[in-house]
């Protein structure tokens, strides 16, 4: 067999694999298989410790904040946009919540949501009105508000009221997460807004011709994503009782990795599935916990997570649409 024949056969296999990966059913099933494989692998490597009742409880306890904040970013990525500012939003909203918690808890939650909405509105303004690509805008605001967090926590952590830890119960966190997930699910599947999000991700120009107010929806979704993360700050603070200079650090990366591991195309569009959020967050948390339990250093864990993220992006990327990331 000649080298030319070998090359033709290899290219044929690659094309078949690529066509299969682009099928909707593959994007629905493969992330679930990935979660099962990761869980099975670390079950063997840890001698079953990762699936012990105590560890599962600890694992679920770490899921809530990431699960909630990922919802807003999911909406943004469905439109084909990106948001790297969520960690800074979480940090600022946590500080606002901690300051206001001394007056009233409900007031503190509203204040955190408003703080998130303001940062989201800033992101939306520069992306929609000034026509700056979303990843550039949100990287800039990430550094801007990261600096503000460092300034506000320079002398000492910002503490919430002493009894805030009383709210750190499974009931509060689980109900909050389920309610927000349910509302987001209904919006995504049963409203025109959900259809518009996927339409914008599939083709912004076509959506405009179809009468969709693209600019208004994109700006709105940045505000909504900020508000959701603002609420996540409530869960974040009741778990630790304070905010330090590292509050929300690398959080945006965790969200992005989780959503991609869940099968969400980096370019958004009709391939986006709401299940991407749940599958992705669980996979990421199992992966992080597993790497930690087998004794790897933080640097090695980040290296492995980065390699896995790169491989998943390479496998699931729709190369025909990569140029439309907004």
């Amino acid at each position: 067999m000649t080298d030319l024949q070998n090359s033709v056969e290899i290219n044929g296999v690659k094309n078949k694999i690529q066509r299969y990966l682009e099928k909707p059913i593959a994007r629905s099933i493969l992330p679930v298989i990935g979660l099962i494989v990761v869980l099975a692998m670390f079950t063997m490597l840890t001698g079953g410790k990762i699936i012990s009742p105590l560890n599962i409880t600890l694992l679920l306890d770490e899921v809530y904040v990431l699960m909630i904040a990922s919802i807003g970013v999911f909406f943004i990525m469905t439109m084909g946009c990106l948001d790297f500012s969520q960690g800074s939003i979480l940090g600022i909203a946590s500080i606002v919540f901690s300051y206001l918690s001394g007056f009233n808890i409900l007031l503190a939650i509203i204040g955190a949501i408003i703080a998130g909405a303001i940062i989201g509105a800033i992101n939306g303004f520069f992306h929609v009105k000034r026509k700056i690509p979303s990843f550039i805008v949100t990287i800039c605001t990430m550094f801007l508000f990261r600096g503000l967090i460092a300034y506000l926590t320079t002398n000492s952590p910002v503490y919430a009221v002493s009894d805030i830890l009383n709210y750190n119960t499974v009931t509060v966190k689980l109900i909050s997460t389920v309610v927000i997930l349910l509302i987001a699910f209904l919006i995504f599947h049963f409203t025109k807004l959900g259809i518009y999000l996927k339409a914008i991700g599939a083709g912004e120009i076509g959506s405009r011709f179809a009468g969709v107010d693209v600019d208004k929806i994109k700006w709105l979704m940045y505000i909504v994503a900020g508000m959701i993360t603002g609420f996540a700050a409530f869960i974040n603070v009741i778990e630790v009782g304070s905010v330090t200079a590292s509050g929300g650090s690398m959080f945006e990366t965790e969200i992005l990795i989780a959503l991609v591991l869940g099968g969400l195309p980096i370019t958004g569009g009709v391939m986006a599935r709401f299940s991407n959020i749940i599958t992705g967050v669980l996979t990421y948390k199992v992966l992080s916990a597993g790497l930690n339990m087998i004794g790897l250093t933080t640097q090695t864990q980040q290296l492995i997570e980065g390699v896995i993220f790169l491989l998943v992006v390479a496998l699931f990327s729709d190369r025909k649409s990569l140029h439309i990331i907004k």
Side-chain angles (χ1 to χ4, degrees), residues 119-296:
I119 299 176
I122 293 172
N123 287 335
F125 171 79
F126 283 101
H127 175 51
V128 173
K129 296 296 182 183
R130 307 309 300 171
K131 307 300 180 188
I132 302 173
S134 60
F135 65 93
I136 294 178
V137 170
T138 54
I139 285 175
C140 291
T141 52
M142 175 187 73
F143 284 112
L144 171 64
F145 290 103
R146 178 59 53 201
L148 183 58
I149 293 168
Y151 173 77
L152 293 172
T153 56
T154 298
N155 296 324
S156 67
V158 178
Y159 292 96
V161 289
S162 58
D163 62 348
I164 194 68
L165 297 177
N166 294 338
Y167 292 90
N168 186 22
T169 65
V170 173
T171 304
V172 170
K173 292 186 288 189
L174 184 61
I175 290 177
S176 300
T177 305
V178 170
V179 167
I180 295 177
L181 275 172
L182 182 60
I183 293 172
F185 176 83
L186 294 174
I187 290 173
F188 189 70
H189 285 286
F190 300 105
T191 68
K192 286 185 178 179
L193 181 59
I195 297 172
Y196 291 161
L197 295 178
K198 287 178 274 192
I200 294 171
E204 191 169 315
I205 296 175
S207 300
R208 291 184 192 278
F209 279 116
V212 178
D213 192 339
V214 175
D215 289 349
K216 180 180 177 181
I217 291 175
K218 289 170 75 174
W219 200 347
L220 173 66
M221 295 321 300
Y222 272 100
I223 294 173
V224 169
M227 293 173 67
I228 294 173
T229 301
F231 181 79
F234 161 62
I235 305 295
N236 183 49
V237 174
I238 65 174
E239 290 181 341
V240 293
S242 64
V243 189
T244 65
S246 63
S249 180
M250 299 297 290
F251 189 60
E252 56 281 329
T253 309
E254 293 182 12
I255 293 175
L256 192 59
I257 293 176
L259 290 176
V260 171
L261 286 177
L264 179 65
I266 203 88
T267 51
V270 294
M271 293 293 185
R273 299 283 184 276
F274 195 79
S275 59
N276 298 149
I277 303 172
I278 298 171
T279 309
V281 169
L282 291 177
T283 304
Y284 177 76
K285 282 301 180 183
V286 170
L287 177 66
S288 298
L291 292 174
N292 190 46
M293 290 181 71
I294 60 176
L296 297 183

